Amino acid sequence: MVSIILFLSGCDSSNQSSELYDSKDEIDKKVDSVLSLMTLQEKIGQMNQYNGFWNVTGPKPKEGDAAKKYEHLRTGMVGSMLNIRGVDEVRKVQKIAVEESRLGIPLIIGFDVIHGYKTISPIPLAEAASWDMEAIKKSAAVAAAESAASGINWTFAPMVDISRDARWGRVMEGAGEDPYLGSKIAYARVKGFQGDDLSAVNTIAATAKHFAGYGFSESGRDYNTVDVGTSTLYNIILPPFKATIEADVKTFMNSFNELNGIPATGNKFLQRDILKEKWKFDGFVVSDWGSIVEMKNHGYAKNDKEAAMLAANAGSDMDMESYLYVNYLEELIADGNVDEDLIDDAVKRILKVKFELGLFEDPYKYCDSDREKRVVGSKEINEVVLDMAKKSIVLLKNENNLLPLKKEGQKIALIGPLSDDKNSPLGSWRIAADDNTAISVLEGMKKYDKNTLTHQKGADLVVGNPAFVFETEINETGTSGFQAAIKIAKNADVVVMVLGEYGFQSGEGRSRTNLDLPGVQQQLLEAVYKVNKKVVLVLMNGRPLTINWADKNIPAIVEAWHLGTQSGNAIVQVLYGDYNPSGKLPMTFPRSVGQIPIYYNYKNTGRPTYPGNNLVFWSHFSDEENTPLYPFGYGLSYTTFKYDHLKLSTDSFRGNEKIEVTFDLYNTGKYEGKEVVQLYIRDLYGSITRPVKELKGFEMVSLKPGETKQVMFTINKEMLKFYTANEKWETETGDFKVFIGGSSYTKLEADFEFIN
Ligand code: BGC
């Protein structure tokens, strides 16, 4: 065996100082020298990724039994494994690759560290509701540290797919509907995972996924066809991916969907022309699970071999669980159907990331059992996820200041199938977490012990074991627990009801056509409300829901998503006013599923309002309003804010000049609070039609009661750019409006002109 590790590094692997790691040029040289030692088969091996031996995160392929995987590890035919975790297990496979294969090239170990590893942070959609980039970055950083301590060095996150469709179960995994907010969050999350030094033992390589268009699947049905125009592709879908490039993301994952007739996995335009050429991405692209072989089902590849050819030629560098590169690439090169230069290019990209992680210097650097014991589940990580969880909560309604709850002398009835659920708050991407390890609302409530607390679930949300992902049914009929719940509600000063979706009801493969409260929960809510009007509804869910009845009747509504391990603690701190909520919705809440796709940055259309007294011929529904239940950017606080005195430094500008936008923000309520102030711009006409509003800036402002602050934003030419009819990012001259406020529904506006 040629020992590449010692041959290349010449350094003591126990010494982890990052000064020992290489500069970009040195890495390129080392990559070339490793490549020169490799046989074609070994190169193809680097492009092959296998799933581990127990968890699966996709359909189990026919091929690939454990014996074959071990044999391929020994023969250098595996470049990466996913779903292997824990220091001991990772060390086992790494040892085979490093010590038994001819060249001893280390494996890169991938895992879906989507919102935490063992300690679970809020689902990404919830984190997005914080609009707090520092907190989001920190949350990704602790997830990186925790997973890296457990043998992982590569996460398949962040998912940066923009989506306007709450039926799609995977909206929980993204940052919502807006490309500007989505780009900021994409950047923050990559920086959080990768840190400033990828070779450090507490950082891991990130993945921008799913490239591209996955969030636009027709009717929100997962894996469905995507057909979008150029403007939507460039102005809405691609910006967050571009932001990850700016954050120096190391890998991309392509996606299951076709985009305008061509599956993303075999899409050269996306992977080669845009990503690798235009954007100069120098990391590697991994396929999604089995997405290469699935090109046959799409009707794009006629057989396995052609699927491998199409994917490799289109720029998919690593095959996750299709077993096609390993089976066909050698033959395809011999036939002249795939150029060996493309293989070299793919392998260089993969080796480069391995070098950057420092795996060649020490393949076991993520395999330190002491560190694993110390870091996994640590107090510090729990503190960060608690902070993130509080910041993710959105107050949707608070009539007559029912919230915050009084801390003493109150009889509180806690009701609802999710009120003592320790599993659902973990969400659906929590493979490494132990079941039932979230703090429930009941547990959190017990800490405020100067009130009298009674508790009844009232009903089950699911039949069967909610920890068991694939075999769970919603309880549609069981109401026998209602009476006990009604009884405690009758005697309470305030009722807190925890309702929503169970943890696995959103996520991959969990599309829904009905977004009402599932099962018997609406019935339970109405039955309790009948006997006590003072109800605080706490929602736990992975996507916007249609809660019109609750909005009309229930005085206080708290959007608490699936908040992870510290869920119950975060929720009760908000309910009792120890934390004043400041979250804002990253995604529109519809009134009805029929309104979907519904989003704030829509186009005006030719018939935006009814002309004269004609009630028919305008763009509307005859049975529902056009407006959403809660708009993008919306969220209340226990205090109130007033916006006033909007001023522009000038009403027209040209070239590199700027406009200063100032306004006063007043805290007009009784509590200290934080407000996410938002700036939107409308481009009144363009070479392609422009949205009625686009988010172009936001800032978090803290104010004491009675305090006022002047806030300033700057408008420049860059902010007005869009992908124009010339198929270029440009600023067009013309008239604009700027809007300032606490949600996308703000009416405080001013006009300006960009001259040239
Ligand atoms: C998902 C990816 C995920 C992969 C590996 C796929 O089913 O679409 O997002 O990273 O599985 O678990």
Side-chain angles (χ1 to χ4, degrees):
M1 185 199 319
V2 185
S3 178
I4 286 208
I5 309 290
L6 296 176
F7 167 72
L8 287 168
S9 69
C11 70
D12 173 4
S13 65
S14 63
N15 189 336
Q16 288 294 322
S17 155
S18 62
E19 282 153 36
L20 292 176
Y21 293 92
D22 298 314
S23 72
K24 241 179 152 110
D25 283 355
E26 282 164 338
I27 286 181
D28 286 344
K29 275 189 223 146
K30 288 188 173 180
V31 165
D32 285 340
S33 69
V34 174
L35 195 76
S36 70
L37 301 173
M38 296 171 82
T39 62
L40 177 59
Q41 266 210 335
E42 284 164 338
K43 290 178 190 173
I44 293 166
Q46 285 303 302
M47 298 168 70
N48 182 31
Q49 184 187 50
Y50 282 150
N51 189 53
F53 308 100
W54 61 99
N55 294 124
V56 285
T57 46
K60 222 174 175 165
K62 279 185 228 108
E63 244 188 287
D65 54 36
K68 183 163 181 183
K69 289 179 187 173
Y70 282 120
E71 183 208 318
H72 279 184
L73 281 167
R74 280 187 200 101
T75 51
M77 293 309 294
V78 187
S80 172
M81 292 199 79
L82 79 148
N83 289 336
I84 296 268
R85 66 189 146 91
V87 159
D88 295 343
E89 295 299 324
V90 170
R91 183 179 281 278
K92 242 188 242 168
V93 289
Q94 193 67 290
K95 203 162 178 309
I96 300 174
V98 170
E99 294 177 26
E100 297 185 42
S101 76
R102 188 182 78 94
L103 288 175
I105 297 176
L107 300 166
I108 178 168
I109 305 288
F111 197 82
D112 290 284
V113 185
I114 307 294
H115 50 110
Y117 174 68
K118 187 128 190 163
T119 311
I120 299 299
S121 48
I123 56 168
L125 186 66
E127 292 196 356
S130 72
W131 295 53
D132 185 329
M133 299 309 121
E134 267 316 299
I136 290 173
K137 186 172 158 195
K138 241 191 195 164
S139 165
V142 296
E146 193 179 57
S147 54
S150 212
I152 312 297
N153 43 49
W154 176 26
T155 174
F156 304 127
M159 183 186 102
V160 304
D161 298 307
I162 297 297
S163 183
R164 297 163 161 178
D165 197 330
R167 291 171 298 185
W168 189 47
R170 293 194 87 166
V171 296
M172 55 76 59
E173 216 180 313
E177 73 190 38
D178 181 60
Y180 180 84
L181 179 63
S183 297
K184 297 276 178 208
I185 291 174
Y187 185 92
R189 301 196 77 215
V190 171
K191 286 287 182 198
F193 286 128
Q194 296 190 169
D196 297 327
D197 177 5
L198 194 63
S199 69
V201 290
N202 58 356
T203 58
I204 59 178
T207 308
K209 75 185 187 188
H210 305 85
F211 199 58
Y214 189 35
F216 279 72
S217 60
E218 281 178 0
S219 67
R221 203 184 75 209
D222 209 356
Y223 320 122
N224 203 3
T225 304
V226 175
D227 205 325
V228 293
T230 311
S231 173
T232 303
L233 179 65
Y234 282 90
N235 291 308
I236 307 291
I237 293 173
L238 293 182
F241 286 101
K242 183 72 194 318
T244 67
I245 300 277
E246 275 140 34
D248 197 21
V249 71
K250 294 299 163 190
T251 75
F252 260 58
M253 183 184 288
N254 56 36
S255 55
F256 292 126
N257 57 282
E258 67 161 70
L259 178 71
N260 304 337
I262 300 184
T265 305
N267 200 313
K268 185 172 164 295
F269 161 71
L270 283 174
Q271 297 174 107
R272 291 215 185 273
D273 302 353
I274 294 185
L275 180 60
K276 291 178 178 171
E277 267 166 46
K278 234 191 201 137
W279 293 354
K280 309 217 172 329
F281 172 64
D282 62 359
F284 69 89
V285 181
V286 63
S287 81
D288 203 346
W289 178 293
S291 68
I292 300 181
V293 71
E294 287 175 13
M295 287 200 289
K296 291 191 302 181
N297 295 340
H298 278 286
Y300 190 63
K302 72 168 179 272
N303 54 35
D304 286 348
K305 189 170 167 185
E306 191 175 78
M309 178 190 82
L310 291 166
N313 286 337
S316 297
D317 301 310
M318 187 180 275
D319 171 1
M320 179 193 289
E321 281 294 295
S322 280
Y323 299 83
L324 297 190
Y325 282 3
V326 79
N327 287 343
Y328 295 103
L329 275 184
E330 213 178 335
E331 223 176 294
L332 284 161
I333 292 161
D335 299 345
N337 286 322
V338 173
D339 193 332
E340 198 172 339
D341 284 352
L342 294 185
I343 304 298
D344 284 356
D345 176 66
V347 176
K348 278 192 199 175
R349 290 167 180 275
I350 295 163
L351 293 178
K352 187 169 143 306
V353 177
K354 292 184 176 182
F355 269 109
E356 287 173 335
L357 284 163
L359 282 167
F360 279 94
E361 281 79 359
D362 180 4
Y364 303 112
K365 61 189 286 192
Y366 302 93
C367 297
D368 173 341
S369 313
D370 289 341
R371 187 166 63 241
E372 186 176 39
K373 276 190 211 106
R374 209 170 52 242
V375 174
V376 175
S378 70
K379 195 165 155 264
E380 291 76 15
I381 294 179
N382 273 283
E383 275 164 12
V384 172
V385 305
L386 173 59
D387 181 61
M388 186 74 252
K390 288 189 279 190
K391 289 176 171 159
S392 303
I393 293 173
V394 185
L395 181 62
L396 295 175
K397 190 175 171 194
N398 192 19
E399 220 168 63
N400 302 324
N401 297 322
L402 182 55
L403 288 174
L405 300 173
K406 294 192 191 90
K407 287 182 181 163
E408 282 180 43
Q410 296 282 293
K411 281 186 269 170
I412 309 277
L414 177 65
I415 295 172
L418 293 166
S419 55
D420 192 25
D421 190 329
K422 293 173 64 57
N423 212 31
S424 284
L426 300 176
S428 73
W429 274 117
R430 27 67 79 80
I431 319 166
D434 296 325
D435 286 334
N436 298 308
T437 47
I439 307 283
S440 72
V441 178
L442 177 63
E443 286 170 314
M445 283 288 219
K446 283 182 180 161
K447 294 182 185 161
Y448 290 80
D449 57 5
K450 293 197 175 123
N451 279 337
T452 313
L453 180 66
T454 50
H455 173 244
Q456 285 293 331
K457 272 205 298 189
D460 286 321
L461 175 50
V462 292
V463 180
N465 177 6
F468 195 64
V469 193
F470 301 115
E471 278 178 27
T472 320
E473 270 176 56
I474 297 295
N475 165 27
E476 303 284 358
T477 50
T479 56
S480 57
F482 276 27
Q483 276 322 312
I486 289 166
K487 193 167 166 207
I488 63 164
K490 267 188 193 156
N491 292 321
D493 296 313
V494 181
V495 182
V496 174
M497 292 191 74
V498 190
L499 309 177
E501 295 181 307
Y502 84 99
F504 292 109
Q505 210 166 359
S506 51
E508 186 175 347
R510 273 84 172 190
S511 298
R512 291 175 61 199
T513 60
N514 180 335
L515 298 180
D516 296 342
L517 289 169
V520 297
Q521 294 182 104
Q522 180 66 30
Q523 264 172 277
L524 177 64
L525 180 63
E526 291 181 29
V528 168
Y529 176 77
K530 222 176 193 170
V531 300
N532 191 336
K533 305 280 177 264
K534 284 200 170 172
V535 175
V536 175
L537 170 61
V538 175
L539 289 171
M540 276 188 186
N541 45 324
R543 49 152 73 91
L545 297 176
T546 45
I547 48 160
N548 301 349
W549 186 90
D551 176 67
K552 211 158 154 208
N553 296 286
I554 300 297
I557 307 177
V558 174
E559 175 52 79
W561 316 103
H562 291 135
L563 288 179
T565 307
Q566 289 292 331
S567 177
N569 286 336
I571 292 169
V572 296
Q573 286 190 32
V574 165
L575 295 181
Y576 277 105
D578 286 334
Y579 187 84
N580 187 355
S582 56
K584 300 278 189 180
L585 294 177
M587 201 168 175
T588 303
F589 272 48
R591 294 175 192 274
S592 138
V593 169
Q595 291 179 309
I596 294 175
I598 182 167
Y599 46 95
Y600 84 95
N601 46 354
Y602 58 89
K603 304 285 189 77
N604 206 33
T605 80
R607 294 187 178 187
T609 50
Y610 59 87
N613 58 4
N614 185 336
L615 296 177
V616 175
F617 302 113
W618 67 290
S619 181
H620 72 297
F621 301 101
S622 47
D623 60 352
E624 186 52 275
E625 292 182 40
N626 282 359
T627 56
L629 188 61
Y630 304 117
F632 173 84
Y634 169 81
L636 304 172
S637 162
Y638 292 148
T639 196
T640 45
F641 297 102
K642 192 178 115 191
Y643 291 72
D644 210 349
H645 305 126
L646 173 61
K647 275 192 224 95
L648 306 191
S649 56
T650 169
D651 59 8
S652 66
F653 78 115
R654 54 177 83 229
N656 294 327
E657 292 171 3
K658 291 173 189 151
I659 298 186
E660 282 178 1
V661 181
T662 52
F663 59 95
D664 293 327
L665 182 71
Y666 301 81
N667 181 343
T668 48
K670 289 204 209 97
Y671 297 85
E672 181 169 358
K674 287 185 295 182
E675 169 78 335
V676 180
V677 296
Q678 301 158 43
L679 175 139
Y680 296 86
I681 289 181
R682 176 167 184 182
D683 184 350
L684 291 182
Y685 44 86
S687 61
I688 58 163
T689 57
R690 310 288 293 121
V692 295
K693 245 172 222 170
E694 290 175 288
L695 181 72
K696 292 290 176 180
F698 60 88
E699 208 180 302
M700 180 96 68
V701 183
S702 292
L703 289 178
K704 300 213 165 61
E707 200 186 356
T708 307
K709 272 187 190 159
Q710 192 183 60
V711 184
M712 191 182 86
F713 285 105
T714 308
I715 297 177
N716 59 34
K717 183 177 157 185
E718 273 303 297
M719 290 162 73
L720 309 181
K721 276 192 173 163
F722 67 104
Y723 199 74
T724 68
N726 289 331
E727 306 209 335
K728 274 193 206 140
W729 282 92
E730 296 173 304
T731 309
E732 291 182 346
T733 55
D735 298 321
F736 295 83
K737 272 187 191 302
V738 54
F739 303 85
I740 291 291
S743 89
S744 60
Y745 258 44
T746 174
K747 299 267 184 295
L748 188 62
E749 59 172 78
D751 299 315
F752 70 92
E753 188 185 359
F754 177 66
I755 300 177
N756 204 339

